[in-house]
């Protein structure tokens, strides 16, 4: 038995030895010379970055549950990649980054990926330059971009060259922001420039057991003396809640497949529509499930104050119930998602009453603003679904800048040039209604369900509308307590007990009168009647007809919409 350790190899021991010949098939072999020598050198140079990687390095990647850059490319496409900018020197400077063009489902897509098996995927001047060239090419040719980030940052021995490489890449990526969409997948441990660069992209996808951030845990420990894990500092749970990561997934394969799924909803550039996909789902399909959902919710003991998940409505409206939600870990009181309606890609922006009554807080406002701006730039029509009691009040929200966040949301809505429809589901109160894609802010069409409660204020509005009646009722309470106490005392009851019972009866009487005024307020003002008569709402639509009405109107608006870049390039971030 041999005592020698068996070294792993990628070579098949049963495969015949590879012999590379530089002769034309059928040519009679002759004397070789300088030509064959340079051909062999060229062949070795082309394959050097792959063949020079030690098996140990690949094993380390696999041990960490990570793929190599070449394996990741194979997940994205089965077609042979067209690797561009094969720039590397004698020390493999530049080889730690792979750039190329992939054919993904018939579409050209620019791709780059850090090769962690070469210099830990670090950045130097050479690969910074070729990365910038790839970005420039994507912008000029109008093709989307996918980035696979797995880098230790700037290559320290390269000195300032690594920093220049990042700076060149930063600048080039910023210049194509708003020109072509980009999807960034985060793999491994990325810090500094390795986190700044991908966050310049349109969307960031982060799997579990990965990190990216301005600084790593070691720097935090040395500067601030804090012990913090990579997960606590820059893991997917942290970035998913803050919105730095648009999607969090389980693993690398999930990230790459999510990138492909998301790409299916995105156009190639800002001058075209997102890809149309023929559907077998009839546009006039009745949405009975929405009717059932609303009936069960509003006929429950809590009536029209019953929360429900608006995602169910989005699912029923979309072709075959398929939609793709963005920033699903952040601000669940608002839902932003891509879907298809009659084959056309559409963006959904919906208040979700299942969380905090659908109130708009700082995070929800920025989440909505970010999504609106992207759809506006890339010619994606929008359907807004409103069901909110307003902006979330309170000191904490004011301290975080709810005024600025609300303004960002409103600005993003006013700026929309793509076709857009507002559907009011239930609550639409005050400033939230005024800043949520109504006719004055530029909506093409405003529809409402019969369950709509559109008013300046919610039930608290009775305090202003019926203030004289409420004043009389509340004033009468004291007289009722006095009279009730006297009657009970005269009947022989203890004066203290008599007063308590009189106060209890008076309180119940007051609640009943206020409930009557609440009901009156809802019937008179919290309904779609006034808005319909004033033209604030175009028409009412029945829940079972939502897919048909929304789809037919969307098709009409799209027939008269010409996709084009904005007059001046609008960046994707406010």
């Amino acid at each position: 038995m041999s005592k020698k350790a068996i070294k792993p190899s990628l070579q098949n021991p049963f495969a015949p030895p590879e012999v590379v010949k530089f002769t034309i098939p059928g040519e009679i072999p002759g004397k070789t010379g300088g030509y064959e020598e340079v051909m062999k050198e060229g062949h070795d140079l082309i394959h050097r970055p792959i063949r020079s990687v030690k098996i140990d390095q690949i094993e380390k990647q696999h041990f960490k549950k990570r793929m190599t850059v070449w394996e990741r490319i194979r997940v994205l496409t089965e077609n042979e990649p067209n690797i561009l900018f094969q720039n590397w020197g004698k020390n493999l400077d530049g080889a730690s980054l792979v750039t190329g063009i992939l054919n993904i489902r018939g579409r050209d897509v620019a791709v780059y990926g850090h090769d962690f098996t070469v210099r830990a995927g670090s950045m130097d001047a050479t690969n910074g330059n070729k990365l910038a060239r790839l970005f420039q090419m994507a912008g000029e040719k109008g093709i989307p971009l996918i980035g696979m980030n797995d880098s230790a940052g700037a290559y320290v021995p390269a000195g300032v060259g690594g920093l220049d490489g990042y700076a060149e890449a930063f600048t080039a990526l910023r210049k194509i922001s708003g020109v072509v969409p980009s999807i960034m997948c985060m793999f491994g441990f990325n810090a500094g420039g390795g986190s700044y660069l991908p966050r310049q992209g349109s969307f960031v996808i982060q799997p579990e057991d990965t990190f990216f951030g301005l600084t790593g845990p070691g720097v935090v420990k040395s500067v601030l003396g804090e012990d913090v894990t990579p997960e606590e500092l820059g893991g997917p749970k942290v970035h998913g809640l803050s919105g730095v990561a648009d999607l969090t997934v389980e693993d690398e394969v999930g990230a790459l497949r999510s990138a492909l799924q998301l790409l299916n909803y995105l156009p190639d550039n800002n001058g075209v529509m997102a890809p149309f996909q023929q559907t077998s789902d009839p546009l006039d399909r009745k949405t009975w499930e929405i009717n059932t959902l609303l009936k069960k919710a509003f006929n429950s003991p809590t009536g029209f104050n019953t929360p429900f998940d608006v995602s169910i409505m989005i699912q029923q409206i979309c072709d075959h119930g398929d939609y793709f939600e963005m920033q699903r870990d952040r601000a669940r009181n608002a839902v932003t998602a891509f879907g298809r309606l009659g084959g056309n890609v559409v963006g959904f922006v919906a208040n979700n009453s299942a969380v905090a009554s659908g109130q708009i807080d700082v995070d929800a406002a920025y989440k909505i603003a970010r999504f609106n701006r992207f759809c506006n730039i890339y010619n994606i029509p929008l359907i807004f679904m409103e069901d909110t009691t307003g902006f979330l009040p309170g000191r904490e929200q004011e301290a975080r800048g709810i005024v600025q966040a609300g303004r960002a949301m409103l600005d993003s809505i006013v700026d929309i040039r793509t076709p857009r429809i507002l559907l009011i589901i239930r609550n639409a109160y005050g400033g939230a209604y005024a800043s949520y894609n109504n006719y004055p802010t530029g909506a093409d069409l405003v529809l409402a369900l019969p369950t709509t409660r559109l008013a300046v204020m919610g039930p608290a509005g009775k305090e202003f509308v019926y203030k004289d009646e409420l004043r009389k009722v509340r004033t009468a309470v004291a007289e009722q307590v006095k009279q009730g106490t006297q009657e009970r005392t005269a009947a022989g009851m203890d004066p203290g007990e008599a007063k308590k019972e009189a106060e209890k009866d008076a309180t119940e009487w007051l609640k009943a009168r206020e409930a009557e005024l609440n009901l009156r307020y809802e019937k008179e003002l919290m309904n779609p009647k006034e808005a319909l008569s004033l033209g604030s709402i175009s028409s009412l639509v029945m829940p079972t007809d939502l897919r048909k009405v929304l789809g037919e109107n969307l098709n009409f608006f799209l027939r008269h919409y010409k996709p084009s870049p904005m007059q001046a390039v609008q960046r994707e971030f406010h």
Side-chain angles (χ1 to χ4, degrees):
M1 184 175 178
S2 175
K3 294 183 179 181
K4 289 184 178 180
I6 299 175
K7 291 186 177 181
S9 171
L10 293 180
Q11 301 297 323
N12 181 356
F14 300 104
E18 181 184 8
V19 179
V20 180
K21 296 181 179 180
F22 304 102
T23 57
I24 301 171
E27 181 183 48
I28 298 174
K31 184 180 179 181
T32 60
Y35 177 78
E36 283 77 14
E37 290 180 9
V38 297
M39 288 299 104
K40 186 178 184 308
E41 288 177 2
H43 179 270
D44 293 341
L45 186 59
I46 290 172
H47 293 87
R48 186 181 175 200
I50 301 174
R51 293 184 174 179
S52 62
V53 174
K54 295 181 179 179
I55 305 302
D56 296 349
Q57 295 296 324
I58 298 175
E59 279 193 315
K60 285 181 181 178
Q61 279 288 90
H62 291 170
F63 182 75
K64 296 175 184 177
K65 297 181 180 179
R66 301 176 193 166
M67 291 183 280
T68 67
V69 65
W70 305 104
E71 291 167 335
R72 291 165 183 161
I73 288 174
R74 286 301 179 192
V75 176
L76 291 176
T77 181
E78 295 179 354
N79 299 314
E80 193 67 26
N82 178 16
I83 303 302
L84 302 176
F85 312 131
Q86 301 178 23
N87 312 100
W88 43 77
K90 61 181 181 179
N91 296 317
L92 289 181
D93 43 311
S96 55
L97 191 81
V98 176
T99 54
I101 305 296
L102 302 186
N103 184 288
I104 299 178
R105 297 168 185 168
R107 300 172 67 182
D108 287 328
V109 179
V111 66
Y112 77 86
H114 294 275
D115 189 347
F116 201 82
T117 63
V118 179
R119 289 183 172 183
S122 57
M123 180 79 75
D124 58 31
T126 304
N127 50 29
N129 176 265
K130 72 178 185 182
L131 190 56
R133 256 186 283 172
L134 180 76
F135 295 158
Q136 184 180 359
M137 175 183 289
E140 290 176 349
K141 307 305 178 188
I143 60 174
L145 170 74
I146 292 178
M148 299 179 290
N149 299 273
D150 187 2
S151 171
Y155 186 56
V156 177
V160 74
L163 301 179
D164 283 341
Y166 266 125
E168 194 170 359
F170 290 156
T171 305
L173 185 54
R174 178 60 177 174
K175 287 183 178 179
I176 66 168
S177 174
V179 179
V180 295
S182 53
I183 303 171
M184 301 295 182
C185 297
M186 304 304 300
F187 302 131
F189 190 101
N190 300 267
S195 61
Y196 273 140
L197 180 69
R199 187 52 276 185
Q200 280 186 284
S202 307
F203 301 104
V204 171
I205 304 174
Q206 185 179 14
E208 293 179 6
D209 299 321
T210 61
F211 167 89
F212 74 96
L214 179 61
T215 55
V219 176
V220 173
K221 173 68 175 177
S222 63
V223 175
L224 301 177
E226 295 180 6
D227 286 313
V228 61
T229 66
E231 174 68 26
E232 295 169 336
L233 186 62
K237 290 182 180 179
V238 174
H239 292 318
L241 288 175
S242 68
V244 173
D246 297 283
L247 292 169
T248 58
V249 294
E250 186 175 347
D251 53 27
E252 289 193 5
V253 175
L256 294 168
R257 288 179 176 170
S258 294
L260 294 176
Q261 191 177 358
L262 176 56
L263 183 67
N264 193 38
Y265 293 101
L266 307 183
D268 286 342
N269 54 69
N270 63 3
V272 298
M273 300 293 291
F276 177 84
Q277 192 173 86
Q278 195 68 43
T279 179
S280 59
D281 192 355
L283 196 61
D284 59 356
R285 168 174 54 82
K286 291 285 188 180
T287 48
W288 295 109
E289 290 81 359
I290 294 177
N291 190 72
T292 302
L293 170 69
L294 299 181
K295 182 178 180 179
K296 286 187 175 181
F298 298 154
N299 284 346
S300 67
T302 49
F304 274 67
N305 295 319
T306 306
F308 63 87
D309 191 345
V310 76
S311 299
I312 299 173
M313 294 186 68
I314 296 174
Q315 181 193 52
Q316 293 303 314
I317 292 169
C318 289
D319 295 347
H320 299 293
D322 190 23
Y323 68 96
F324 193 85
E325 186 176 349
M326 303 305 303
Q327 295 199 4
R328 52 197 174 213
D329 299 329
R330 179 193 191 195
R332 291 294 303 157
N333 43 327
V335 174
T336 53
F338 293 112
R340 275 192 168 83
L341 184 53
N344 293 303
V345 173
V346 60
F348 288 90
V349 178
N351 305 123
N352 187 17
S353 64
V355 179
S357 300
Q359 289 182 309
I360 302 171
D361 58 11
V362 170
D363 290 326
Y366 280 130
K367 176 179 175 177
I368 292 171
R370 173 81 179 88
F371 189 77
N372 288 346
R373 290 172 69 89
F374 181 86
C375 292
N376 190 34
I377 291 171
Y378 292 106
N379 303 293
I380 298 173
L382 285 155
I383 293 178
F384 288 80
M385 303 171 74
E386 184 165 14
D387 183 13
T388 179
T389 55
F391 286 95
L392 181 63
R395 183 171 65 179
E396 189 260 349
Q397 287 294 304
E398 295 293 351
R400 290 186 59 199
I402 185 65
V403 174
Q404 179 65 28
R407 184 71 231 185
M409 185 189 79
L410 174 57
D411 287 347
S412 73
I413 291 173
V414 172
D415 290 344
I416 294 174
R417 60 180 179 135
T418 61
R420 46 177 162 146
I421 299 171
L422 170 63
L423 170 67
I424 303 176
I425 300 171
R426 176 176 44 178
N427 297 326
Y429 298 154
Y433 162 75
S435 58
Y436 201 75
N437 190 46
N438 46 33
Y439 274 128
T441 55
D444 292 304
L445 182 66
V446 177
L447 303 171
L449 294 179
T451 52
T452 291
R453 304 198 298 179
L454 200 162
V456 175
M457 293 184 68
K462 71 178 187 300
E463 299 288 342
F464 301 93
V465 178
Y466 310 122
K467 61 180 180 180
D468 292 337
E469 294 177 53
L470 281 168
R471 189 183 297 116
K472 290 178 182 179
V473 169
R474 288 165 181 166
T475 303
V477 169
E479 183 61 32
Q480 281 205 11
V481 171
K482 182 180 178 182
Q483 184 178 346
T485 303
Q486 289 175 349
E487 290 175 355
R488 287 171 173 77
T489 304
M493 186 179 287
D494 178 75
E497 291 296 323
K499 185 178 181 181
K500 284 182 180 179
E501 284 201 12
E503 287 176 344
K504 182 180 178 182
D505 286 350
T507 301
E508 290 177 355
W509 176 82
L510 177 61
K511 285 183 179 179
R513 301 291 80 74
E514 288 183 343
E516 289 175 2
L517 289 174
N518 274 341
L519 189 61
R520 180 178 161 192
Y521 180 75
E522 289 183 11
K523 288 185 176 181
E524 291 181 356
L525 294 172
M526 290 177 61
N527 56 62
K529 295 176 184 176
E530 184 184 12
L532 199 61
S533 65
L534 293 174
S536 300
I537 295 172
S538 292
S539 59
L540 296 182
V541 56
M542 301 304 288
T544 53
D545 297 327
L546 274 178
R547 176 174 164 82
K548 178 177 183 291
V549 174
L550 290 172
E552 288 180 348
N553 281 288
L554 183 67
N555 284 341
F556 165 72
F557 292 128
L558 286 175
R559 284 197 297 270
H560 299 276
Y561 177 75
K562 295 181 179 179
S564 64
M566 301 189 74
Q567 292 179 352
V569 174
Q570 180 180 339
R571 304 304 183 191
E572 295 172 14
F573 294 93
H574 56 271

